[in-house]
Amino acid sequence: MLSKVYGSAVFGVEAQTITCEVNVDKGVGYHLVGLPDNAIKESNYRIAAALLNNGYRIPGKKITLNLAPADLRKEGSAYDLTLAIGILAASGQIKSASIEKYVIMGELSLDGSLQPIKGALPIAIKAQEEGFDGFILPLENAKEAAVVGNLKVYGIANISEVIAFFDKGTPLEQIVIDTRAEFYKSLDFPEFDFSDVKGQESIKRCMEIAAAGGHNVILIGPPGAGKTMLAKRLPSILPPMTLHEALETTKIHSVVGKIKNTGLMNERPFRSPHHTISDVALVGGGSYPQPGEISLSHNGVLFLDELPEFKRGALEVLRQPLEDREVTISRARFTVTYPSSFMLVASMNPSPGGYFNDPDAPVSSSPAEMQRYLSKISGPLLDRIDIHIEVTPVPFEKLSEERKGESSVVIRKRVTAARSIQTKRFSGMDTVHYNAQMNTKQIREFCALDEVSKQLLKNAMERLNLSARAYDRILKVARTIADLEHTTGISGDHISEAIQYRSLDREGWLG
């Protein structure tokens, strides 16, 4: 007897429906085909124990299971429940004409309980697109999948519930959440707030500009100056995510199993990998490609603390995603593309010892050591960072002040207003949403300068020996400063402030 049950496989951040065909015939044997990996090949042991502990069994006949399309590799243990229901239907232990109307996924424990799976959201989106009536999956993933409209989602704790639903018509509890209510949960009280930062007014101004235009930032300062503290507070002043951004971000985190019993992500991600991270972990990839840290930072912040300590190869692979805002991973049989539109925030000491041009420094570095230290960061990578800012230690008088600084909520309002101007400016452009994403043509269109500003920028270019890419970065930052002031044109003051944020281009840093 033949039965068909539907599951799904995730490639990149998109899902593809998998047909699980099960045929039970005379003879003895268990044959699983369709390019399964080892986790799927071992499923028969989990299925046998789970069925036995719930009053059912794998029939002692010849069982052939095919995962179609057979030329695509399948991975993971999420097909346990799919195969188990297919075996029960093919062997006549359950009878239901509605099995083919559902996508069924879940990893089985030996007692029949279900463990969470990866990629529930993209699977649910695909099931809705292909017209399935519902999606049956582990209870822990139900809220994540339920954000998809027009699809019935059933969170299951044990295989016995699924069997009773198909064989006896026992109703399952549908998981329903209000997607918009979930998305618009209040975020007015961030965990890390700029009101806690003492002093550092110029740095806070810099972070506000970066947030308003989506600019990449590098913070340069000695140990203990507050670089990490400032970086952690950046997400609190970024504009709230749109519903589209929240869905994109949730899909990526769903693929790697980072969504635990929650629905839609409504906070921008903040990722801070250690400097020992490998190229693959940072960018993504592997035998079965998975998103890396740069994709997990999509629509949020990627913070690289102590930038020169990262392997040069790992830093160089950042260059293409920073420009294209996506990363493509190619394998012999398929190619996957992950979105990676993130704000890069990096920090570094000004020298190997942590202090630079400080006569009272406890550790000094020779010119050769300085050059070797700074050369770990390539010029092309630095050119892709719009804002370079020096962070100095806060004096005791500022640290001991009782008065709190401006809160993140207040700063975010100004940032959001500036982003609204950019949204109107770039309306109708699919690939550009804020100033940092402008290409050369758009820079020429939206960053026109008067003669005074042109001469000011020309002098700076010649004196600092700036590259053409640095020239574009200055114009982008100046455009954002103008947007924060709600002015149409870019003035000399805007250009002057933007030039200040190129610290590493100045003589004495990179020679």
Side-chain angles (χ1 to χ4, degrees), residues 159-309:
I159 189 175
S160 59
E161 299 175 41
V162 186
I163 295 171
F165 172 66
F166 286 122
D167 195 36
K168 301 174 183 176
T170 305
L172 295 174
E173 183 179 354
Q174 184 180 347
I175 306 298
V176 179
I177 66 170
D178 186 334
T179 303
R180 294 195 174 274
E182 190 81 8
F183 173 65
Y184 288 113
K185 282 180 180 176
S186 175
L187 296 174
D188 289 341
F189 302 100
E191 181 181 0
F192 299 105
D193 198 292
F194 269 99
S195 63
D196 301 325
V197 179
K198 303 290 187 181
Q200 305 286 26
E201 298 305 323
S202 62
I203 315 301
K204 286 191 272 189
R205 164 69 173 174
C206 166
M207 300 299 268
E208 180 179 339
I209 294 169
H215 302 288
N216 301 321
V217 187
I218 184 166
L219 305 170
I220 312 116
K227 302 185 295 295
T228 302
M229 177 188 68
L230 288 159
K232 285 183 176 179
R233 282 157 176 75
L234 181 59
S236 69
I237 63 171
L238 289 173
M241 284 201 290
T242 63
L243 187 57
H244 176 71
E245 287 177 328
L247 279 168
E248 275 189 334
T249 307
T250 306
K251 278 175 71 175
I252 297 169
H253 285 251
S254 172
V255 168
V256 293
K258 299 285 185 183
I259 309 295
K260 298 295 182 185
N261 204 24
T262 57
L264 209 58
M265 290 179 64
N266 61 351
E267 294 185 49
R268 294 187 181 275
F270 179 87
R271 306 291 298 182
S272 180
H274 192 260
H275 62 78
T276 56
I277 191 171
S278 67
D279 302 4
V280 170
L282 184 63
V283 178
S287 301
Y288 298 97
Q290 290 283 297
E293 289 291 334
I294 64 172
S295 294
L296 293 172
S297 308
H298 183 59
N299 292 321
V301 175
L302 175 66
F303 177 49
L304 301 183
D305 198 8
E306 302 301 338
L307 188 66
E309 301 299 328

Side-chain angles (χ1 to χ4, degrees), residues 7 11 42 62 100 119 121 215 266 323 356 442 449 461:
F11 298 96
E42 293 171 351
K62 181 181 178 181
E100 296 184 15
L121 180 55
H215 302 288
N266 61 351
E323 286 291 326
F356 178 58
Q442 290 150 357
L449 302 179
M461 292 284 294

Side-chain angles (χ1 to χ4, degrees), residues 403-423:
R403 182 176 60 87
K404 283 203 166 191
E406 199 172 30
S407 72
S408 292
V409 174
V410 174
I411 299 172
R412 175 187 263 189
K413 288 180 180 177
R414 294 197 296 267
V415 169
T416 303
R419 283 284 184 101
S420 297
I421 293 172
Q422 295 165 46
T423 300

Side-chain angles (χ1 to χ4, degrees), residues 73-87:
R73 290 195 67 85
K74 292 85 182 177
E75 64 168 329
S77 53
Y79 297 95
D80 290 358
L81 183 61
T82 321
L83 296 171
I85 296 300
I87 290 170

Side-chain angles (χ1 to χ4, degrees), residues 370-408:
M370 280 285 296
Q371 187 61 37
R372 189 162 51 248
Y373 177 73
L374 293 172
S375 66
K376 292 180 179 179
I377 309 169
S378 69
L381 178 61
L382 280 177
D383 276 347
R384 287 169 169 81
I385 299 177
D386 300 352
I387 298 175
H388 311 159
I389 190 72
E390 292 180 65
V391 183
T392 55
V394 181
F396 175 78
E397 291 75 16
K398 288 286 186 181
L399 284 174
S400 58
E401 279 185 356
E402 294 295 328
R403 182 176 60 87
K404 283 203 166 191
E406 199 172 30
S407 72
S408 292

